[in-house]
């Protein structure tokens, strides 16, 4: 099986094979959605923005010079789109509850496991909300999207030294926020 490089796929798209663009969308849709969602903190809007990012990238594909990676170019479009949307709208976090009604004992354990994972994610997301935007963006790009510091620099324009500081402070603040949220949760249970 011959796996095409991104440049070959882009060449195919520019030559008129619009179906080839689906390969790029498949490669990057989860990373783009995660990045956007962690910037604007609203799932529905993140899905809409992620779609817009791929449309903007498709329509602007002729402007892609190849001097940077396609993923870097795409991330820059995503960051700009998310930050522009965030300036326009303020979002509220709505917790999603789980219902265990009408479940048998055999089915309850997998549901409890899922609930525990969702609860952990909820606390991490709530703690992420308390971070400054630049810390949250750097943490998202570095840990969730697994970008290198140099790639984050290319996307954001923040110096590599400042990115390292933001990652350090962000981790400390995230830990502090998680600790406080969990203490509050424990006190509410008692």
């Amino acid at each position: 099986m011959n796996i095409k490089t991104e440049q070959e796929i882009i060449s195919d798209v520019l030559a008129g094979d619009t179906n080839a663009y689906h390969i790029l969308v498949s490669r990057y849709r989860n990373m783009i959605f995660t990045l956007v969602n962690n910037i604007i903190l609203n799932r529905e809007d993140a899905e809409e923005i992620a779609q817009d990012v791929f449309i903007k990238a498709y329509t602007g594909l002729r402007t892609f010079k190849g001097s940077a990676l396609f993923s870097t170019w795409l991330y820059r479009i995503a960051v700009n789109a998310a930050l522009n949307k965030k300036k326009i709208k303020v979002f509220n976090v709505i917790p999603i509850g789980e219902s265990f009604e009408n479940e048998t004992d055999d089915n309850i354990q997998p549901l409890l496991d899922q609930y525990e994972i969702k609860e952990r994610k909820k606390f991490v997301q709530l703690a992420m909300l308390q971070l400054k935007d630049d810390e949250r963006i750097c943490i998202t790009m570095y840990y969730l999207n697994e970008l290198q510091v140099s790639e984050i620099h290319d996307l954001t324009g923040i110096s590599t030294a400042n990115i390292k500081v933001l990652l350090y402070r962000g981790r400390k603040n995230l830990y502090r926020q998680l600790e406080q949220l969990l203490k509050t949760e424990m006190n509410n249970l008692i």
Side-chain angles (χ1 to χ4, degrees):
M1 179 181 227
N2 185 15
I3 298 175
K4 291 186 174 186
T5 66
E6 287 179 353
Q7 195 56 50
E8 291 171 329
I9 296 168
I10 291 168
S11 295
D12 289 349
V13 173
L14 292 175
D17 183 5
T18 56
N19 290 330
Y21 190 65
H22 177 73
I23 297 168
L24 296 172
V25 173
S26 295
R27 282 185 190 173
Y28 294 108
R29 69 176 166 224
N30 291 335
M31 288 185 282
I32 295 299
F33 170 77
T34 302
L35 174 64
V36 170
N37 191 41
N38 279 303
I39 293 171
I40 65 163
L41 308 170
N42 180 289
R43 183 175 182 82
E44 290 79 21
D45 286 337
E47 290 171 353
E48 181 181 324
I49 291 169
Q51 289 175 2
D52 289 345
V53 165
F54 285 107
I55 291 169
K56 285 179 188 176
Y58 179 77
T59 58
L61 200 54
R62 292 202 184 283
T63 65
F64 176 67
K65 302 293 183 217
S67 57
L69 294 174
F70 176 76
S71 60
T72 303
W73 184 72
L74 190 61
Y75 286 151
R76 183 176 294 275
I77 294 170
V79 168
N80 289 336
L83 290 175
N84 286 339
K85 180 75 171 187
K86 187 171 179 146
K87 289 177 189 173
I88 296 170
K89 191 172 180 181
V90 176
F91 301 101
N92 295 322
V93 176
I94 302 171
I96 298 174
E98 289 283 327
S99 174
F100 294 112
E101 295 175 11
N102 301 325
E103 294 294 332
T104 64
D105 288 342
D106 294 339
N107 294 337
I108 199 80
Q109 190 57 48
L111 290 174
L112 287 173
D113 292 344
Q114 282 182 327
Y115 182 74
E116 184 179 325
I117 291 168
K118 285 183 181 183
E119 281 296 299
R120 285 184 197 157
K121 284 182 181 179
K122 178 183 86 170
F123 283 114
V124 171
Q125 288 173 342
L126 287 171
M128 290 283 284
L129 288 173
Q130 303 305 315
L131 298 179
K132 294 178 183 175
D133 285 346
D134 52 0
E135 291 174 349
R136 187 173 55 252
I137 290 168
C138 286
I139 285 177
T140 299
M141 289 181 171
Y142 189 77
Y143 290 105
L144 297 178
N145 294 344
E146 299 179 352
L147 297 178
Q148 300 295 319
V149 171
S150 60
E151 292 173 309
I152 297 170
H153 164 72
D154 292 342
L155 290 169
T156 63
I158 301 171
S159 72
T160 55
N162 283 345
I163 291 169
K164 291 175 184 178
V165 169
L166 288 169
L167 288 170
Y168 176 76
R169 285 184 191 158
R171 283 189 302 262
K172 284 181 71 171
N173 290 335
L174 185 62
Y175 177 80
R176 204 174 300 126
Q177 292 300 326
L178 279 170
E179 189 175 50
Q180 189 171 7
L181 284 168
L182 293 173
K183 276 184 187 175
T184 303
E185 185 70 14
M186 289 302 292
N187 289 335
N188 290 340
L189 291 173
I190 296 176

